[in-house]
């Protein structure tokens, strides 16, 4: 690489989503000179560009227990300081949700990252990796000033799509190769909703109206069991309704969202569907009569793309048996929530035992083919089904905190992540407020 050197850091984090921002905060709080690279003009990834509800802080069920804390709590505290936050108790799905204003979260991430002393570069797209014998030496970053080279001792790939690992040639599984990839969703918000009238029908009533509308032939609604929810803003709801499954390319049908042409087609199809669902809501759903579309997600929501091969891969049996690991650095109680394709109702749920949580092992964050790279967030090392459980944003925050702390501890030496003793890391995470074991 011949690009000018932008700087040399102890820890470099790629991607600032609910995994990457906590990774950078944790690394900097642990004393590492830390750089956070983000291709978008703001921090947060899905948490700010697509969504507005953190799931995964509590186990689902009648007696929820809190299983994620640490930096995740700092984020919610900062959100509450900036404005309204709504807790939406939910015994189903991933448990109680914390619904926030995404615009506030953009600023909350900035406050926490900058307060920790992280150097941040927005509009910075990692394009290539310099790697020798599994050791990442530098990244090539596309910036407005041209290509720049960034050196680091240890690295965290929190790009969601595992870009760093893919560019470095480290092994990964592409979603769709072994099991149907989770579908893509453009989210949207509606304003001017009469919430009292909306509450006159429940979720199954909404789904019945969707089915009726789709079967009438007047509306093209590929998913017939999406949801809407209240937000902290009066008269505003947010939705998770659209479903982009198969994008045609070269006569084939694929959902590989790391293919630029497929991703472009998916963005266009997601927005087309969003307008169709908005039309259905205003025409057919009580409370939406006077409403209008007030916002589309900045980009389409990607549930899974590449999943890196780590030192271990979490699998379905681990999740459903709520397996515990000696080196676990976080917990997840969410069911396996698989959004697969097909017309109508294409989402399935499989639950852990009531109140239980599976451990997230440090080894699922250690990149198998690298000496100095960790992974965190939705590209961590798991099978398709295990990932369909362990992907909520609270779990991404826990993984990020663990990966960032481990990267900083590794960077005190030569950056080799396997030199970090799991017991020492776990002690440090506990001292920093993380929850590593479910309450007995
Ligand atoms: C439609 C949908 C609904 C969901 N609903 C919920 C929900 O309600 N609650 C919940 O908790 N979870 C939900 N999830 C799951 C959750 O949002 C994700 O699993 C989680 O946000 C992933 O976080 P992440 O940090 O791993 O990845 P991302 O949020 O994808 O962040 C990755 C970041 O890396 C950046 N990046 C990528 N490549 C590069 C590069 N080469 N160079 C520089 N930067 C790069 C991206 O711009 C992005 O900011 C949902 C997911 C989807 C798609």
């Amino acid at each position: 690489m011949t690009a000018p050197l932008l700087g040399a850091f102890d820890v470099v984090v790629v991607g600032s989503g609910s995994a990457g921002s906590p990774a950078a905060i944790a690394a900097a709080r642990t004393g590492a000179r830390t750089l956070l690279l983000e291709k978008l003009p703001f921090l947060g990834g899905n948490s700010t560009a697509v969504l507005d509800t953190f799931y995964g802080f509590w186990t689902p069920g009648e007696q929820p227990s809190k299983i994620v804390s640490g930096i995740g709590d700092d984020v919610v505290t900062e959100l509450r300081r900036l404005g309204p936050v709504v807790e939406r108790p939910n015994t189903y799905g991933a448990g109680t949700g914390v619904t926030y204003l995404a615009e506030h979260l953009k600023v909350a991430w900035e406050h926490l990252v900058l307060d920790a002393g992280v150097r941040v570069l927005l509009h910075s797209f990692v394009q290539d990796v310099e790697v020798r014998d599994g050791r990442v030496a530098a990244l090539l970053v596309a910036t407005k000033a041209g290509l720049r080279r960034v050196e680091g001792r240890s690295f965290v790939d929190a790009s969601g799509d595992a870009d760093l690992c893919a560019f470095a040639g480290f092994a990964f599984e592409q979603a769709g190769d072994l099991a149907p990839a989770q579908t893509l969703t453009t989210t949207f918000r509606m304003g001017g909703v009469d919430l009292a009238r909306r509450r006159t029908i429940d979720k199954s009533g909404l789904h019945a109206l969707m089915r009726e509308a789709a079967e009438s032939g007047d509306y093209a609604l590929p998913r017939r069991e999406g949801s809407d929810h209240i937000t902290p803003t009066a008269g505003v709801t947010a939705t998770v309704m659209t479903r982009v499954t198969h994008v045609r390319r070269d006569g084939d049908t694929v959902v590989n969202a790391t293919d630029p042409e497929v991703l472009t087609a998916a963005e266009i199809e997601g927005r087309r569907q969003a307008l169709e669902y908005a039309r259905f809501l205003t025409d057919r759903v009580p409370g939406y009569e006077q409403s209008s579309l007030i916002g589309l997600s900045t980009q389409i929501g990607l549930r899974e793309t590449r999943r890196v091969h780590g030192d271990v891969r979490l699998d379905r049996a681990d999740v459903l048996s709520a397996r515990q690991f000696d080196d676990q650095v976080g917990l997840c109680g969410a069911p396996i929530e698989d959004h697969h394709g097909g017309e109508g109702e294409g989402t399935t749920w499989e639950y852990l035992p009531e109140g239980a949580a599976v451990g997230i092992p440090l080894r699922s964050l250690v990149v198998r083919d690298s000496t100095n790279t960790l992974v965190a967030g939705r590209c961590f090392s798991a099978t398709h089904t295990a990932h369909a459980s362990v992907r909520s944003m609270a779990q991404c925050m826990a993984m990020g905190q663990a990966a960032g702390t481990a990267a900083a501890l590794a960077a005190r030496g030569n950056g080799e992540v396997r030199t970090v003793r799991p017991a020492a890391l776990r002690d440090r995470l506990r001292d920093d407020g993380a929850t590593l074991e479910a309450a007995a």
Side-chain angles (χ1 to χ4, degrees):
M1 287 183 205
T2 53
L5 182 68
L6 188 138
F9 299 84
D10 295 328
V11 175
V12 180
V13 179
V14 179
S16 71
S18 38
S21 289
I25 294 164
R29 286 181 182 175
T30 309
R33 287 171 302 136
T34 305
L35 176 69
L36 177 59
L37 295 166
E38 171 54 55
K39 69 182 166 69
L40 295 176
F42 51 84
L43 301 177
N46 276 343
S47 76
T48 48
V50 182
L51 299 168
D52 68 355
T53 302
F54 293 137
Y55 282 124
F57 274 109
W58 292 271
T59 55
E62 296 302 330
Q63 290 180 322
S65 57
K66 187 147 182 295
I67 50 169
V68 173
S69 44
I71 290 174
D73 285 345
D74 297 345
V75 178
V76 177
T77 302
E78 185 60 11
L79 276 169
R80 287 191 198 282
R81 205 181 63 76
L82 294 175
V85 168
V86 182
E87 263 181 33
R88 293 192 290 125
N90 178 3
T91 58
Y92 187 67
T96 295
V98 179
T99 300
Y100 51 81
L101 295 174
E103 305 307 323
H104 280 179
L105 182 56
K106 290 174 185 169
V107 177
W109 283 128
E110 286 166 0
H111 286 172
L112 292 171
V113 160
L114 295 175
D115 284 354
V118 175
R119 178 151 167 210
V120 182
L121 272 190
L122 301 173
H123 294 288
S124 297
F125 203 145
V126 172
Q127 291 294 290
D128 205 357
V129 179
E130 192 178 297
V131 57
R132 255 176 256 111
D133 299 327
R135 183 178 178 86
V136 173
L139 307 179
L140 194 65
V141 187
T143 75
K144 280 302 285 179
L147 294 177
R148 291 292 182 271
R149 189 168 178 275
V150 167
E151 292 177 350
R153 277 174 197 251
S154 56
F155 293 81
V156 179
D157 185 345
S159 64
D161 299 327
D163 279 11
L164 186 164
C165 290
F167 297 152
F170 303 150
F172 61 85
E173 182 188 331
Q174 178 76 51
D177 279 356
L178 300 179
Q182 296 239 26
T183 54
L184 286 59
T185 296
T186 300
T187 60
F188 63 92
R189 285 174 300 124
M190 300 292 287
V193 182
D194 180 337
L195 293 174
R197 253 185 77 65
R198 168 62 189 87
R199 286 193 193 99
T200 59
I201 60 161
D202 63 8
K203 196 194 259 183
S204 56
L206 175 66
H207 295 170
L209 290 177
M210 277 183 186
R211 275 196 304 278
E212 219 174 83
E215 283 160 15
S216 74
D218 294 335
Y219 302 85
L221 308 178
R223 186 182 184 200
R224 319 245 167 96
E225 31 86 278
S227 61
D228 59 347
H229 60 258
I230 57 161
T231 68
T233 310
V236 172
T237 61
T239 71
V240 181
M241 284 188 183
T242 70
R243 164 172 286 162
V244 177
T245 313
H246 292 133
V247 174
R248 290 197 73 79
R249 199 191 57 156
D250 301 335
D252 209 2
T253 55
V254 284
V255 277
N256 177 0
T258 55
D259 176 317
E261 289 190 41
V262 171
L263 186 56
T264 301
E267 293 282 10
I268 293 167
E269 169 63 11
R271 281 187 280 270
R272 189 197 67 74
Q273 282 187 23
L275 264 61
E276 185 69 348
Y277 276 93
R279 183 171 76 88
F280 152 74
L281 289 171
T282 48
D283 288 357
R284 300 255 180 151
V285 178
Y288 279 98
E289 295 86 348
Q290 305 300 321
S291 71
S292 57
L293 178 69
I294 56 166
L296 295 165
S297 51
T298 308
Q299 59 189 17
I300 197 164
L302 306 180
R303 292 184 171 86
E304 67 166 338
T305 47
R306 304 182 184 110
R307 278 173 280 106
V308 175
H309 283 281
D311 283 354
V312 302
R313 299 192 85 199
L314 206 67
D315 66 20
R316 181 172 181 277
D318 295 332
V319 171
L320 292 179
S321 66
R323 185 169 170 193
Q324 304 299 293
F325 298 86
D326 288 345
D327 65 337
Q328 68 194 39
V329 290
L331 293 164
C332 175
I336 294 171
E337 180 184 338
D338 198 354
H339 295 252
H340 44 88
E343 287 282 298
E345 303 190 7
T347 306
T348 54
W349 280 270
E350 284 183 280
Y351 283 84
L352 284 69
E354 171 89 24
V358 59
I360 303 170
L362 172 62
R363 286 164 297 158
S364 68
L365 309 182
V366 174
V367 176
R368 189 190 69 190
D369 297 342
S370 178
T371 56
N372 66 337
T373 312
L374 293 134
V375 63
R378 66 181 173 84
C379 51
F380 86 118
S381 179
T383 62
H384 167 78
T385 37
H387 172 270
S389 164
V390 189
R391 65 185 181 86
S392 290
M393 291 191 278
Q395 278 61 47
C396 291
M397 291 189 240
M399 286 191 248
Q401 180 168 354
T405 308
L409 294 177
R412 288 178 184 173
N414 64 359
E416 304 235 339
V417 294
R418 290 180 189 79
T419 62
V420 176
R421 285 189 309 110
L425 174 65
R426 281 161 48 83
D427 285 346
R428 172 77 204 214
L429 291 171
R430 273 195 215 93
D431 289 348
D432 292 342
T435 301
L436 306 183
E437 266 87 31

